[in-house]
Amino acid sequence: VMPRLKAHLAYKLHDGTPTAALIVDPKRELASIAESYLALRGEKERMFLAGRDGRVRLYPRETSLSLHDRVTEIFDALGCSPYQRGDSGPWVQKSIALLLGLIDAHAVTYNRFGRDLFVDLMREAGRDSTSRMGYWSSLRDIVRLAQEGAESVKWLHHRLMSRATASDIPYDERVMFRFLERYASMDEEAANQISYVTGHLEGPLATLCDTGLTSWLDMTPVPEMDSACAGRQSHDIGDLIDQARAVVFQPPDSHSGDIGTRLVKAQIYRAAMHRTNLRQPVLFLADEFQRYVTSDRESGEANLLDRCRAFRITTVLATQSVSALYDALSKRHDGGDPKQAVHTMMGNIGHAIFFQTCDEASTDALIRSWPVSAPHGWPHPLSITPLSSLHVGEAYYVAPQGQRGRTRFGLSS
């Protein structure tokens, strides 16, 4: 990975256009290498370490996605999809509807009057707001206020409708403030079902408010808002690509870190395929890739790797084993067969390098990509010198146009 990273950081087109690099570095090994190498080349200003040099904005200011699409995409990644089935499906759908109601009312208030609805409501309730922690923390304040019972729900509904009427908001926007009406009209016992509805939002909101995640990723679904957090300015991924920056993400080893990286990965692909200069080379390098692999239609590698070649995007995906990819995808609930998704992914990979491992799935993947015509009864070469017998640095490789063999890598390469 290290020689490959340095080669891409050094590569330029004939007109001098440098490569943009987007690097996922969970083990915190690659940032110092990239920074030292760029400094050696006199290009230290190209380095951008997410968190230290500012946060990366999940949704750019010029995003083509609607507000509902952005929120649905985030909560779908968090396992809280409006299309969820099963016994909990109806409750999840109601929780998403309530969430979107809050977000719509906030958007109308902000777009028309430049006011933060969540902060205003908490102030009117005589409560402290956690808005300094970001958009989702501020929204969680209101959700928790609603969880306090029927009286709180009725108070919130009354305040929302009073605001909509007093502000002379047009009718088509005023109806967006009525999302609590059915709960506010119920008796005490029935209205308490709001606790079941909002309960499905607690887990996802806890992830979105995780300080380890928000320190480097700005997940505000309303990019027009000034979402500076703890003095860290937010940057669009597309802008960083156009500036040929080497952007390094160092997600924490946690559930929220994995979720955040999978979310930002979708935006990396989206931004790279819509960059200003489509001739500009782009590198996407992910270490410990099994933590971030997906098979969904939007950002799943099984669907996107073939498109990356057409858009001059080089992907370097380092993983523990093929079995680790199977296991990760089986837990994602993205739909489809995890093994078939990995087979499709492997079929779209130009260069595959296999280091020492005892993983049978990795051996099977190498054999499938390395057909051998041998006399009947003769063993496959990999049966004589299996992956498990390789020494440190030794590897089997498969390259385009039928090139394959065994080689040795070293840090000085």
Side-chain angles (χ1 to χ4, degrees):
V1 167
M2 290 165 61
R4 170 67 71 175
L5 172 59
K6 292 178 179 179
H8 277 274
L9 292 176
Y11 181 71
K12 294 183 179 180
L13 299 182
H14 290 299
D15 62 4
T17 302
T19 300
L22 303 150
I23 304 157
V24 180
D25 179 27
K27 293 188 290 189
R28 300 175 181 264
E29 297 173 334
L30 301 176
S32 59
I33 296 168
E35 190 157 36
S36 298
Y37 186 67
L38 288 173
L40 186 65
R41 294 178 53 82
E43 300 176 342
K44 191 173 182 178
E45 72 283 354
R46 288 178 59 196
M47 180 71 183
F48 183 94
L49 180 58
R52 184 194 69 184
D53 301 324
R55 298 194 299 166
V56 173
R57 192 180 287 117
L58 184 60
Y59 294 107
R61 295 187 184 278
E62 303 300 324
T63 179
S64 60
L65 296 177
S66 69
L67 181 58
H68 278 205
D69 285 342
R70 293 171 231 160
V71 174
T72 301
E73 184 176 72
I74 290 173
F75 275 76
D76 193 26
L78 294 168
C80 192
S81 170
Y83 311 108
Q84 191 165 325
R85 299 179 180 179
D87 295 339
S88 63
W91 293 107
V92 172
Q93 291 166 16
K94 290 177 181 178
S95 70
I96 294 293
L98 186 146
L99 178 82
L100 291 175
L102 278 170
I103 288 173
D104 282 339
H106 180 280
V108 170
T109 304
Y110 183 80
N111 291 335
R112 282 195 167 272
F113 312 109
R115 303 282 304 177
D116 190 321
L117 174 65
F118 303 149
V119 173
D120 287 349
L121 288 173
M122 291 301 289
R123 184 181 298 115
E124 291 170 14
R127 308 290 182 85
D128 291 331
S129 171
T130 61
S131 59
R132 63 189 180 281
M133 302 299 293
Y135 178 92
W136 293 109
S137 183
S138 184
L139 185 149
R140 185 171 60 172
D141 291 339
I142 307 301
V143 170
R144 288 180 171 176
L145 186 61
Q147 287 176 330
E148 293 181 5
E151 289 304 314
S152 292
V153 173
K154 291 177 182 178
W155 181 86
L156 277 171
H157 174 65
H158 174 72
R159 294 308 305 156
L160 287 168
M161 295 310 300
S162 297
R163 277 175 162 274
T165 304
S167 302
D168 196 27
I169 296 175
Y171 177 78
D172 61 331
E173 293 184 352
R174 196 184 311 163
V175 295
M176 295 182 182
F177 289 74
R178 301 174 60 178
F179 59 93
L180 285 174
E181 186 173 48
R182 62 186 298 269
Y183 298 105
S185 63
M186 295 177 179
D187 58 37
E188 180 90 19
E189 183 176 353
N192 283 333
Q193 70 172 271
I194 194 76
S195 63
Y196 295 101
V197 174
T198 55
H200 289 280
L201 298 175
E202 272 296 323
L205 287 175
T207 297
L208 294 173
C209 297
D210 181 84
T211 54
L213 182 58
T214 57
S215 65
W216 63 272
L217 182 60
D218 178 1
M219 293 174 289
T220 305
V222 188
E224 299 82 8
M225 291 182 64
D226 181 9
S227 52
C229 180
R232 295 183 178 94
Q233 184 181 357
S234 296
H235 303 260
D236 289 352
I237 294 176
D239 292 342
L240 294 171
I241 289 176
D242 289 343
Q243 295 163 13
R245 306 292 289 274
V247 185
V248 182
F249 309 94
Q250 293 183 320
D253 186 9
S254 64
H255 174 71
S256 59
D258 293 356
I259 290 286
T261 305
R262 289 200 289 272
L263 279 168
V264 82
K265 186 187 71 167
Q267 303 309 316
I268 285 173
Y269 286 130
R270 192 175 289 154
M273 291 180 185
H274 292 86
R275 62 193 185 278
T276 303
N277 180 5
L278 288 176
R279 293 185 64 250
Q280 176 193 26
V282 175
L283 168 69
F284 174 54
L285 188 156
D287 195 12
E288 298 293 327
F289 181 65
Q290 70 278 357
R291 289 170 51 182
Y292 318 116
V293 63
T294 53
S295 60
D296 59 283
R297 186 175 182 180
E298 178 67 20
S299 63
E301 281 68 28
N303 296 321
L304 283 173
L305 286 179
D306 59 333
R307 296 180 61 200
C308 285
R309 290 194 298 272
F311 284 90
R312 296 178 68 85
I313 304 170
T314 298
T315 55
V316 179
L317 311 175
T319 184
Q320 296 291 336
S321 66
V322 173
S323 288
L325 297 177
Y326 291 159
D327 181 61
L329 287 176
S330 67
K331 297 174 181 176
R332 296 283 187 271
H333 307 294
D334 294 328
D337 181 1
K339 288 191 175 183
Q340 186 58 48
V342 173
H343 291 170
T344 303
M345 191 188 313
M346 297 292 291
N348 281 319
I349 290 174
H351 296 78
I353 301 170
F354 296 79
F355 289 91
Q356 184 203 43
T357 180
C358 294
D359 179 51
E360 293 183 2
S362 297
T363 299
D364 291 342
L366 178 56
I367 290 175
R368 277 197 307 273
S369 60
W370 194 341
V372 173
S373 298
H376 179 69
W378 283 40
H380 193 285
L382 291 175
S383 300
I384 302 171
T385 310
L387 285 172
S388 59
S389 69
L390 297 180
H391 296 291
V392 174
E394 285 188 328
Y396 284 106
Y397 68 90
V398 179
Q401 292 151 353
Q403 300 175 11
R404 51 186 178 263
R406 194 170 75 184
T407 187
R408 178 183 291 273
F409 289 89
L411 294 183
S412 61
S413 297

